[in-house]
Amino acid sequence: MDMNRLFSEAQKLIPGGVNSPVRAFRSVGGTPRFIREAAGAKVTDAEGREYIDYVASWGPMILGHSHPGVVRAIREAAGRGTSYGAPTEAEITMAKKIVDAFPAIEMVRMMSSGTEATMTAIRLARGYTGKEMIVKFTGCYHGHADSLLVKAGSGVATLGIPGSPGIPKRLAELTLSLPYNDSAAVREAIRRFGSDLACVIVEPVAGNMGVVPPEPGFLEALREMTREQGILLIFDEVITGFRVAYGGWQNLSGIAPDLTCLGKIIGGGLPVGALGGRREIMEHLAPTGPVYQAGTLSGNPLAMAAGIATLDLLQGKSYADLEKKAETLCNGYRDLFARKGIPVRINRVGSMFTLFCTGGEVTDFASASLSDTERFGRFFQGMLKEGIYLAPAQFEAGFVSFAHTDQDIARTLEACGKVLDAGGM
Ligand code: HOZ
């Protein structure tokens, strides 16, 4: 099926032709690939062209697409019914897996998206502390709940939208957005607003302004300052959960947040979100407590089956091997660009990476924004022509999966070499 025809049909029926803005290729130009099928590290578009995929559905597909073990689990679950609106044993299994993997999580509530998880985390923090203001970091993206769409990353940054109409100004005023990696700014905000602050929410490794790692001491300082002031610390590990380790960044750093938001990988490619944390806080959620949260498809049996199968499979895998592949890819990119004298900055944490079209260090949204997004667009288009599917926006993470082979990495670097040789950048 012709891609341009699909896109123009889609645009008549769906705003922008897509059901999530960054898919629209707005910042890189051209027509979005409509995907027909996917297996392993490859996606195939509606015209039958195959690509090595580094989007991985924006993170969830850490085992690759259509992993037979995950597909089997979904099929078997579907045969027993697709939704009951009643509790199931699979939800206990999933909760146990999450609690076992995260030392800071004693209880967990399953939901249907990462946005629900972060939105509920904020509501719970407000309900638990009785305070209303929150701190987030500029360029971090925590889904599209009203309180969190202030100076956000991902599509909001890509489209250059400063905030969003529809969010009451008085609500947005309760959100302070501070520079990532700047603990002095947090100290000052706490000094000024400490008694009104319910929580600090952070992506422990930023993934939605492109990948930006936390500087040594930043998260530790957040933990110390929030604990001293009775402010809840929320780690949004929707991307990093089971991506950087079996567990999350908190397992690697040894920092225990009060609440943790999860999604993506724990659903094995099906819609999912989860909020976990200390029992005493979590029990403020209804029905044990007064903070309301609910969902018809929460703990959906298909999502639980896919998630449980994914986590079981991940337990037998080596994250060090996964990281090695990403390291080879990123080192290869660095060499190729250096040989041409084209300035780029490649940030990588485990199997997440971003190639920023800037020569300087990228440590926060201000430095990420120095990227030449037009140059990125040209690189993206060149790679796409060579059969490599990258995230269609500068301010996003790329993901290497267990399904990527050494040949896939080599082919990707070969494609990059061709794009650079062609001189289009
Ligand atoms: N917010 C996601 C990227 N950080 C994009 C989700 C999507 O378009 O699927």
Side-chain angles (χ1 to χ4, degrees):
M1 182 74 151
D2 176 71
M3 212 80 61
N4 291 322
R5 232 184 77 204
L6 285 176
F7 193 37
S8 68
E9 261 180 54
Q11 283 171 293
K12 285 182 214 145
L13 300 164
I14 305 168
V18 292
N19 282 314
S20 189
V22 284
R23 299 178 193 179
F25 278 32
R26 286 276 166 114
S27 67
V28 291
T31 305
R33 302 297 97 163
F34 281 67
I35 303 302
R36 186 176 76 190
E37 57 190 290
K42 314 264 171 54
V43 292
T44 304
D45 72 19
E47 291 173 2
R49 262 192 304 269
E50 191 180 83
Y51 305 85
I52 300 174
D53 174 31
Y54 291 98
V55 177
S57 184
W58 306 92
M61 312 318 299
I62 190 167
L63 294 171
H65 296 278
S66 311
H67 187 289
V70 179
V71 172
R72 196 176 320 119
I74 296 170
R75 283 214 173 100
E76 283 172 11
R80 296 189 297 269
T82 53
S83 182
Y84 317 121
T88 62
E89 198 176 334
E91 289 161 87
I92 305 174
T93 306
M94 175 58 93
K96 269 197 192 130
K97 286 190 180 298
I98 292 174
V99 167
D100 286 349
F102 287 85
I105 298 184
E106 293 174 328
M107 296 189 100
V108 62
R109 167 67 57 86
M110 299 306 299
M111 307 165 189
S112 295
S113 70
T115 288
E116 277 186 72
T118 53
M119 178 184 76
T120 307
I122 299 300
R123 185 181 304 142
L124 179 56
R126 285 175 166 152
Y128 175 78
T129 60
K131 302 173 195 169
E132 292 191 338
M133 289 183 77
I134 67 168
V135 165
K136 73 173 285 290
F137 295 92
T138 302
C140 281
Y141 175 76
H142 305 286
H144 59 93
D146 286 356
S147 290
L148 293 165
L149 269 189
V150 177
K151 296 191 182 167
S154 189
V156 182
T158 300
L159 299 172
I161 299 172
S164 174
I167 297 174
K169 197 165 157 273
R170 277 174 293 174
L171 183 63
E173 279 167 4
L174 296 175
T175 301
L176 297 178
S177 194
L178 305 177
Y180 192 72
N181 271 328
D182 188 345
S183 41
V186 180
R187 190 164 295 113
E188 177 57 16
I190 290 179
R191 193 188 64 73
R192 289 184 60 196
F193 303 105
S195 54
D196 294 324
L197 286 176
C199 63
V200 172
I201 184 167
V202 65
E203 289 182 84
V205 175
N208 286 293
M209 53 179 120
V211 172
V212 178
E215 284 181 353
F218 172 59
L219 297 172
E220 287 80 355
L222 291 189
R223 180 62 288 183
E224 208 180 295
M225 290 186 274
T226 49
R227 187 175 282 134
E228 274 169 10
Q229 300 293 323
I231 299 164
L232 297 190
L233 178 62
I234 304 169
F235 273 10
D236 175 350
E237 299 230 42
V238 169
I239 290 180
T240 48
F242 297 98
R243 164 61 62 183
V244 292
Y246 190 88
W249 185 257
Q250 55 196 271
N251 300 62
L252 299 178
S253 63
I255 302 166
D258 299 297
L259 293 172
T260 300
C261 303
L262 296 170
K264 299 201 189 260
I265 289 175
I266 59 164
L270 269 71
V272 89
L275 174 64
R278 291 192 349 239
R279 177 179 306 278
E280 172 227 349
I281 304 171
M282 290 298 291
E283 284 188 335
H284 276 66
L285 281 179
T288 36
V291 178
Y292 203 72
Q293 184 278 333
T296 298
L297 294 170
S298 293
N300 175 264
L302 265 57
M304 295 304 97
I308 290 165
T310 298
L311 298 188
D312 283 345
L313 286 158
L314 283 177
Q315 275 194 295
K317 301 261 181 212
S318 158
Y319 278 81
D321 288 352
L322 180 64
E323 170 153 8
K324 189 96 206 72
K325 285 191 260 190
E327 192 183 22
T328 306
L329 176 69
C330 292
N331 287 344
Y333 274 144
R334 267 186 211 109
D335 285 352
L336 289 164
F337 278 91
R339 255 186 257 158
K340 292 282 173 196
I342 302 174
V344 288
R345 184 84 200 176
I346 298 170
N347 282 358
R348 180 186 65 80
V349 174
S351 57
M352 319 163 40
F353 66 93
T354 297
L355 185 153
F356 292 98
C357 288
T358 172
E361 271 191 58
V362 178
T363 57
D364 56 13
F365 187 61
S367 44
S369 303
L370 297 177
S371 300
D372 182 338
T373 51
E374 282 182 17
R375 195 145 61 82
F376 177 82
R378 291 196 292 275
F379 178 62
F380 171 86
Q381 289 297 347
M383 292 295 272
L384 194 66
K385 265 198 209 102
E386 292 296 328
I388 312 295
Y389 188 60
L390 305 175
Q394 173 70 94
F395 305 117
E396 297 288 352
F399 300 99
V400 175
S401 77
F402 283 103
H404 284 91
T405 61
D406 292 346
Q407 291 91 307
D408 291 329
I409 305 290
R411 247 191 70 199
T412 306
L413 292 173
E414 200 184 308
C416 175
K418 278 192 197 164
V419 172
L420 298 186
D421 282 344
M425 284 188 73

